[in-house]
Amino acid sequence: MKIVSITAQVCNAEMRNWIFVRVETDQPGLIGWGEATLEFKTNAVIGAIADFAPMLAGQDPRDIEHCVQTMTRHSFWRLGVIGTSAISGIEMALWDILGKVLGVPVWRLLGGKVRNHLRTYTHLGLGDMRAVYESDTADAIVGHARKVVEMGYDALKVVCIPYSHYTAPNAEVDRVRRVVGELRDAVGDDVDIMVDFHGRPASASAAMAFIDALSDARLLFVEEPVAPEDIGGLAEVKRRSTTPIASGERLIGRREFEPILRDRLVHIAQPDICHTGGLAETKKIAAMAEIAGIGIAPHNPIGPIAGVAALHFGVSTPNVIIQEEMSGAVPWYGDVVKWPIERRPGRWDVPEPSGSRNRS
């Protein structure tokens, strides 16, 4: 069995271009699909996929680790997020092929299931970009949140932290306290709330001003309180915060996660399967986190193939706490691929079809 072609297909989904990867073999009809979506870097990722294609031409797609090593080592130059996103999409497609060849779902190949369903959370508007990024008043946030809870979700995330300088203005801190306080009152204590900082505070001190203001809301976690390169700031936040700290969506591969996990600088790690190197690399990161007593909440605000890959990962990984999904990013999210399960609010069940999905 040999790889004969690797190509990319782009699907515009308003805020993002979903980049789907198609790996074709010399076996009639045997094709694998992956996703390599990277915001604002579409052409660069497509170019990287094209660069990797001749490296894998003629290789056996079932030798997944060998193929990844080939792409990583033959590149010579160290890879950034563009290269690793391309590798991630190709690697996912290889797992899809292997599952189809063996007639089993990919989660079986990743170690088998450790749970009977995967808990999920969503964003305001189920991920509609206007609801997520343009809801800046308590009325708007509470209104969207109530709709999410009414659909059946018991966990949601909001983006309400402003960009700040090295200190946080008192007026903004008080505003955020009021907004999240009203959100908590509206959804009740049985709904988990997460607040995504998006690395907007310019210092640990500014981040802590907001975190302290949110302590009464009893959040599941605050996400990326400082920029990903500010390891010292993250250490300070982790030391001072009484609210669980999550981060990692912009880290690449286990080597960038290693100091964060070694020094236990987060309570929850958030690798993105589409950026960090694929399913196998993310499993390695999860194993490292498990040793450190750190949970996993994979980052996944992108397309449906990434969502299916996250489902197989989450079903087979013991320290996954909860899975992000944005299935309302566009109204036709569920029409792009035939999902292996019926998606339900707050819960994705174990998929049984072989490979990672039915058909794209």
Side-chain angles (χ1 to χ4, degrees), residues 34-283:
E35 183 169 343
T37 300
L38 180 62
E39 294 88 338
F40 318 119
K41 300 291 187 293
T42 302
N43 291 327
V45 174
I46 292 172
I49 292 168
D51 287 337
F52 287 133
M55 295 184 188
L56 298 188
Q59 297 286 342
D60 189 326
R62 297 168 294 185
D63 296 332
I64 298 173
E65 187 67 37
H66 174 72
C67 289
V68 171
Q69 291 288 321
T70 296
M71 290 185 285
T72 302
R73 296 181 181 277
H74 287 199
S75 293
F76 183 69
W77 295 103
R78 286 178 290 179
L79 297 171
V81 69
I82 292 168
T84 57
S85 295
I87 289 174
S88 298
I90 294 169
E91 192 254 18
M92 278 183 222
L94 300 183
W95 282 107
D96 189 28
I97 289 170
L98 182 59
K100 290 171 179 174
V101 168
L102 298 177
V104 296
V106 166
W107 57 262
R108 286 279 184 207
L109 305 175
L110 297 176
K113 68 180 179 181
V114 295
R115 52 181 54 88
N116 292 321
H117 72 273
L118 180 63
R119 188 187 183 203
T120 65
Y121 72 88
T122 192
H123 295 247
L124 303 182
L126 301 185
D128 173 78
M129 61 179 292
R130 286 162 291 276
V132 173
Y133 297 110
E134 297 176 13
S135 298
D136 55 4
T137 66
D139 287 346
I141 289 174
V142 168
H144 284 299
R146 280 182 170 144
K147 291 178 182 177
V148 168
V149 173
E150 288 168 1
M151 291 178 183
Y153 288 91
D154 63 359
L156 58 90
K157 186 161 72 181
V158 297
V159 181
C160 62
I161 304 298
Y163 287 95
S164 70
H165 205 230
Y166 292 90
T167 58
N170 289 336
E172 289 292 348
V173 172
D174 290 341
R175 181 188 67 82
V176 169
R177 179 190 288 112
R178 287 194 300 271
V179 167
V180 177
E182 291 186 33
L183 173 60
R184 169 56 74 201
D185 291 341
V187 301
D189 292 335
D190 293 334
V191 173
D192 282 321
I193 299 172
M194 294 142 278
V195 176
D196 192 346
F197 280 46
H198 267 176
R200 292 175 177 180
S203 69
S205 176
M208 282 308 307
F210 289 107
I211 293 171
D212 287 343
L214 299 176
S215 60
D216 288 344
R218 293 185 295 173
L219 304 176
L220 183 63
F221 59 74
V222 298
E223 178 174 329
E224 207 176 38
V226 294
E229 65 272 15
D230 187 4
I231 295 178
L234 184 62
E236 181 180 349
V237 168
K238 168 64 160 41
R239 178 178 58 82
R240 294 173 55 187
S241 176
T242 58
T243 300
I245 303 300
S247 194
E249 68 182 67
R250 288 190 273 180
L251 300 181
I252 303 167
R254 62 190 184 277
R255 287 176 177 80
E256 290 196 0
F257 273 92
E258 192 273 335
I260 305 296
L261 301 177
R262 179 195 63 217
D263 295 335
R264 292 164 167 79
L265 302 186
V266 295
H267 299 94
I268 299 166
Q270 297 180 290
D272 189 313
I273 299 169
C274 279
H275 302 324
T276 201
L279 283 162
E281 184 73 7
T282 311
K283 291 285 283 190

Side-chain angles (χ1 to χ4, degrees), residues 294-307:
I294 293 171
I296 301 290
H299 182 250
N300 176 47
I302 46 182
I305 295 181

